[in-house]
Amino acid sequence: MSNRIKRILVLCLALATIFSAVPFGAVAATDWVPANVKSAVFDANYYAANNKDVVNALGTSTSALYNHFLQFGAKEGRQGSPIFHSKYYLTNNGDLKSAFGTNYVNGINHFGSYGYNEPNRKVAKIENLGDSFEAQIKASNSKVIGLSGAETALVTSSSDEAQIWIFTLNSDGTYTIKNKSTGKVLDVYAASTSSGTKIHTYDGNGSNAQKWYIFKYSTGKYIIRSKCAPICVMTTSSTKLVSSTYTGASSQIFTLVECESTAPEVTPDPTP
């Protein structure tokens, strides 16, 4: 064997040793996710909770998880956020399925260019919690959404009907959320898509600003998003309620504490 061939073999063995020591997914990938929808597409905590194989291989570092999503997860159709799932997006929008098939990366890029501004797009699996029910909307700090005068506010839980909301399922899978005390419904002010827009109560008019999707974050925990703002979700800000860009922050995660049913009471048939 010539000295040249020996040198090549030694070099190859050295390179193999180096690359075998590099953790799976550790090589930095180009960040191709559209910046305007990045937070809606990827939430490291959510990704970790729903991809245990990745955590076992890489740990819980945000950068490592995001790097895995960029290189592998997105292409495999893994869900990176509760409010957007590229595989679901392509599967449940016929025109996109025809255009992109199972190219989930193209699905994310389409969402960043067009879909984020198209409120009727089906972007992720939504929760169906029943046709009608009453509940308190409990924030992560154990306060609940209620009313302070005519405005929504974070308040201490009590039996006050101003803290009870009637959820009614609409045909498009959204819920109308009506205050039991006033009969007014949760509404994104002026149907704005801007982050930080206040959520108040208003007379029901059936607009997208008054229709709310419920997405599962984890067991018993939910993200609530207005149909008019596909990348903004219900958020507590100090004592206020606003519609803000999804980040996965605790201020955007809610528990629904169900009260008595709004279904009509059924009188037993007296006939033996």
Side-chain angles (χ1 to χ4, degrees):
M1 183 182 297
S2 70
N3 288 335
R4 184 178 176 218
I5 293 176
K6 288 180 180 178
R7 286 196 297 271
I8 292 173
L9 288 174
V10 169
L11 178 61
C12 289
L13 287 171
L15 289 173
T17 301
I18 291 170
F19 284 112
S20 66
V22 177
F24 174 66
V27 179
T30 301
D31 190 349
W32 51 264
V33 176
N36 62 317
V37 296
K38 185 181 295 185
S39 64
V41 167
F42 184 82
D43 170 355
N45 290 331
Y46 182 87
Y47 196 65
N50 291 279
N51 294 279
K52 295 300 185 184
D53 60 325
V54 179
V55 171
N56 289 339
L58 301 178
T60 57
S61 161
T62 296
S63 59
L65 293 171
Y66 186 49
N67 197 53
H68 178 274
F69 181 75
L70 293 174
Q71 293 187 80
F72 309 105
K75 296 174 185 177
E76 296 166 358
R78 296 189 190 230
Q79 187 169 1
S81 157
I83 69 167
F84 181 80
H85 185 191
S86 184
K87 184 175 182 179
Y88 187 95
Y89 188 61
L90 296 189
T91 302
N92 292 279
N93 293 283
D95 58 331
L96 302 184
K97 185 175 182 179
S98 297
F100 303 126
T102 58
N103 190 324
Y104 306 127
V105 168
N106 279 352
I108 292 173
N109 285 320
H110 179 276
F111 181 64
S113 297
Y114 308 102
Y116 78 97
N117 204 28
E118 298 172 339
N120 289 321
R121 287 290 185 192
K122 297 175 181 178
V123 295
K125 182 183 178 182
I126 54 178
E127 293 296 296
N128 182 331
L129 302 178
D131 291 343
S132 181
F133 62 94
E134 295 181 1
Q136 287 184 316
I137 305 173
K138 186 178 181 181
S140 60
N141 63 2
S142 296
K143 299 277 189 175
V144 299
I145 306 302
L147 297 179
S148 177
E151 295 294 328
T152 56
L154 273 179
V155 297
T156 301
S157 177
S158 73
S159 59
D160 189 344
E161 288 192 347
Q163 300 178 12
I164 298 176
W165 302 89
I166 301 171
F167 290 68
T168 304
L169 185 65
N170 300 309
S171 60
D172 59 0
T174 62
Y175 281 90
T176 299
I177 306 176
K178 181 172 67 174
N179 188 265
K180 188 170 184 179
S181 174
T182 65
K184 294 182 182 293
V185 303
L186 286 181
D187 174 283
V188 176
Y189 185 77
S192 174
T193 60
S194 298
S195 183
T197 300
K198 75 174 181 178
I199 296 173
H200 64 157
T201 58
Y202 198 73
D203 293 330
N205 56 33
S207 68
N208 285 347
Q210 299 181 351
K211 293 182 176 181
W212 300 87
Y213 288 113
I214 299 176
F215 299 94
K216 180 181 177 181
Y217 188 84
S218 60
T219 302
K221 305 290 185 181
Y222 302 99
I223 305 295
I224 304 174
R225 175 177 73 74
S226 167
K227 188 173 181 177
C228 76
I231 62 173
C232 290
V233 301
M234 185 182 291
T235 307
T236 58
S237 176
S238 183
T239 60
K240 300 177 182 178
L241 193 64
V242 296
S243 175
S244 291
T245 302
Y246 177 78
T247 63
S250 60
S251 59
Q252 300 178 334
I253 302 172
F254 296 91
T255 304
L256 300 180
V257 182
E258 194 164 352
C259 306
E260 65 181 86
S261 172
T262 58
E265 184 177 347
V266 177
T267 303
D269 187 344
T271 306

